[in-house]
Amino acid sequence: MMSGPAANCVSPSGFIRCLAAMEGLACRLLLCLGCALAAPELLNEEVKRTVDLSTHLAKVTAELSLANPAGGSGGASSFLLALDPGLESRLAYLGVQVKGEEEEENTLEVRETKVKGKSGKFFTVKLPSPLVPGAKIRLSIETVFTHVLQPYPTHITQAEKQFVVFEGNHYFYSPYPTKTQTTRVKLASRNVENYTKLGNPTRSEDMIEYGPFKDIPPYSQDILKVHYENNNPFLTITSMIRVIEVSHWGNIAVEETVDLKHTGAVLKGPFSRYDYQRQPDSGISSVKSFKTILPAAAQDVYYRDEIGNISTSHLLILDDSVEMEIRPRFPLFGGWKTHYIIGYNLPSYEYLYNLGDQYALKMRFIDHVFDEQVADSLTVKIILPEGAKNIHVDSPYEINRATDELHYTYLDTFGRPVIVAHKNNLVEQHIQDIVVHYTFNKILMLQEPLLVVGAFYILFFTVIFYVRLDFSITKDPAAEARMKVACITEQVLTLVNKRLGLYRHFDEAVNKYKQSRDISTLNSGKKTLETEHKALTNEVASLQSKLKTEGSDMCDKVSEIQKLDSQVKELVLKSSVEAERLVAGKLKKDTYIENEKLHSNKRQELVTKIDNILDAL
């Protein structure tokens, strides 16, 4: 039984895939073979090489005229590029561009390759069009190397200046012969201890010029060494974690955790703050502050470390960016380190694009931290909204994708997908955009609001259910009896107040009778009083019997209220009888007023006693 690739070729579709794979492999082999064959046929007619050592980076730029000599075997669609063996391990960036007559630049595709019988790093550069025999093309090759400037001496005091040594190649290292070449070395200062003297170089200020060299064979090497003063900040980002959290509610949160180290000459001896502030040239190679460039839309910027917020920073808002001056808590000397966190928010509409359920996030893989930056290690984490699927990343250069993770935050259920990518040895040329494509169902945006509504609903329902639960182990008869007595007493109070209100209504009927002398008005009021008073009194008596059954002493007080009420009723009826006699002319007005005053006083005393008993209840 067949297994592996052989088994996959049995089916028709598998056979077709195998043919396609073999064809692609054959094409790559032919390309590499073509490059190897074409290499000796090309010629570097003129090379102008510039080695910029004015910072802590080594930037080597070579402008060359690449020719395909007449009488060649054919056109060259690509050419081979080699790196100097002494510097290849420190390569951070390599870019090749075509230089036109009007200074128009066209970036070419560069891929790493191998050359049979040769060690080291080689790259295949694809030309925009085949270079036919007799034709030539002008190219610009830019390379950036990190950590190639070695401090010498390696340890200096606070008052000493920093000197570094660079070792390179006098010649343009190439698999092709070079007809003529010049090399210019740009330094950081005029103070040069020594340098190699190949070909009687000329020196002016901070520039050393070598050449021109004629007819240089392929893979030529000759050590170029310069020992000079360089007090530029040798800042290095030893580790950086950049977290980008995307929200479809209009915000993108960015946070960068940075570990910095001064990789220059190590400070020897003590540090004097007094000398550092008094003498301008004290600690000249140290780093007091540096500027970080943030996007123009950055807001809510913060800068802190483990201790807390660092208030020595300054923020300047410009038209096209936000400039932040970062000043560590202490100046950085050689070998010293610092750690800080910087974060800010961005509006998502400037970086997030969508068409239906298709989304594309376009942001920088690394942003500007300081001028001439070097990042030894970078980890980028892009946190997408919960529910994002079909994730695809387009990067302008090679990055190392790690396994995707899940991130949980407020109101998340199954986690937000996190893209994790790593890259080492980055410089400013790597400040480019990456694009993250993904799909997202917009219905999922209702998930968080619905979760909030549901949470409050459950909370309110739980509270309502809880307050209605009785967690007592045994019942308390005394408490239940008190509750019943209180309920009965409340009903007695209501009935007694209604009964006192009947008397007031009857007094109004008597007054109307005295004015209208209509006996029917008086009789109607008296009949209503008798009927309703009897009903209320019977209800009070019923409640009194219930209080007696419960064994409450309130029963006696209710009984007293009943007695007092009967006296009040008697006085009210007497007043109505005397009113009849007054209207009939059987009682003088003065006598009626005097008797009415006497009845009113007695009635008021009785009502006061009833009110006092009611208050006691």
Side-chain angles (χ1 to χ4, degrees), residues 389-545:
K389 298 179 180 179
N390 304 322
I391 302 171
H392 174 68
V393 179
D394 291 334
S395 174
Y397 39 78
E398 183 180 356
I399 60 175
N400 298 321
R401 282 282 303 274
T403 304
D404 290 352
E405 301 174 353
L406 288 178
H407 176 75
Y408 294 90
T409 183
Y410 305 107
L411 303 176
D412 288 340
T413 54
F414 47 87
R416 304 185 181 191
V418 182
I419 301 171
V420 183
H422 304 282
K423 189 169 179 62
N424 298 329
N425 204 14
L426 296 95
V427 290
E428 281 189 350
Q429 284 78 0
H430 291 103
I431 301 178
Q432 300 182 42
D433 291 331
I434 64 169
V435 182
V436 179
H437 302 272
Y438 63 94
T439 59
F440 179 80
N441 191 345
K442 294 182 179 179
I443 297 297
L444 293 177
M445 293 187 67
L446 298 176
Q447 175 180 332
E448 294 183 357
L450 290 177
L451 284 175
V452 174
V453 172
F456 277 106
Y457 178 81
I458 293 173
L459 174 64
F460 295 151
F461 181 80
T462 303
V463 171
I464 293 171
F465 181 75
Y466 176 80
V467 297
R468 283 165 172 72
L469 294 178
D470 185 7
F471 294 98
S472 59
I473 300 176
T474 58
K475 294 185 178 181
D476 188 357
E480 291 185 0
R482 287 193 296 271
M483 292 178 64
K484 289 183 179 179
V485 168
C487 182
I488 295 171
T489 303
E490 187 68 25
Q491 295 179 31
V492 169
L493 293 176
T494 302
L495 294 174
V496 170
N497 287 326
K498 286 184 178 180
R499 199 162 55 184
L500 293 176
L502 291 177
Y503 300 143
R504 289 191 292 271
H505 289 300
F506 184 69
D507 289 340
E508 293 176 0
V510 171
N511 291 332
K512 289 182 180 179
Y513 165 69
K514 288 189 293 183
Q515 294 175 2
S516 63
R517 298 178 180 272
D518 186 2
I519 192 61
S520 61
T521 302
L522 181 63
N523 292 336
S524 175
K526 188 181 293 184
K527 184 177 180 180
T528 302
L529 174 64
E530 291 290 347
T531 302
E532 296 185 5
H533 184 274
K534 183 178 180 181
L536 293 174
T537 302
N538 291 338
E539 290 184 25
V540 172
S542 174
L543 295 174
Q544 182 182 355
S545 62

Side-chain angles (χ1 to χ4, degrees), residues 28 166 187 199 293 367 462 474:
R28 287 194 292 271
F166 170 77
L187 306 177
I293 306 299
D367 217 330
T462 303
T474 58

Side-chain angles (χ1 to χ4, degrees), residues 297-425:
Q299 54 188 352
D300 306 326
V301 182
Y302 58 88
Y303 167 48
R304 58 182 175 82
D305 56 11
E306 287 85 351
I307 300 175
N309 183 58
I310 304 175
S311 58
T312 54
S313 60
H314 300 283
L315 203 66
L316 178 62
I317 300 177
L318 305 176
D319 293 336
D320 57 348
S321 63
V322 175
E323 187 177 279
M324 185 176 188
E325 181 187 6
I326 292 182
R327 185 180 294 271
R329 296 184 183 273
F330 49 86
L332 295 179
F333 284 84
W336 290 16
K337 303 176 182 178
T338 188
H339 171 87
Y340 68 89
I341 299 172
I342 186 172
Y344 50 91
N345 292 321
L346 297 171
S348 61
Y349 67 86
E350 292 193 9
Y351 302 91
L352 188 62
Y353 309 91
N354 79 295
L355 179 62
D357 290 342
Q358 303 290 329
Y359 286 82
L361 174 69
K362 186 177 182 181
M363 290 196 69
R364 288 178 174 176
F365 187 73
I366 185 174
D367 217 330
H368 181 280
V369 182
F370 51 85
D371 293 339
E372 307 296 344
Q373 66 188 30
V374 177
D376 288 345
S377 175
L378 171 66
T379 300
V380 176
K381 296 184 178 181
I382 302 177
I383 305 174
L384 299 177
E386 190 175 32
K389 298 179 180 179
N390 304 322
I391 302 171
H392 174 68
V393 179
D394 291 334
S395 174
Y397 39 78
E398 183 180 356
I399 60 175
N400 298 321
R401 282 282 303 274
T403 304
D404 290 352
E405 301 174 353
L406 288 178
H407 176 75
Y408 294 90
T409 183
Y410 305 107
L411 303 176
D412 288 340
T413 54
F414 47 87
R416 304 185 181 191
V418 182
I419 301 171
V420 183
H422 304 282
K423 189 169 179 62
N424 298 329
N425 204 14

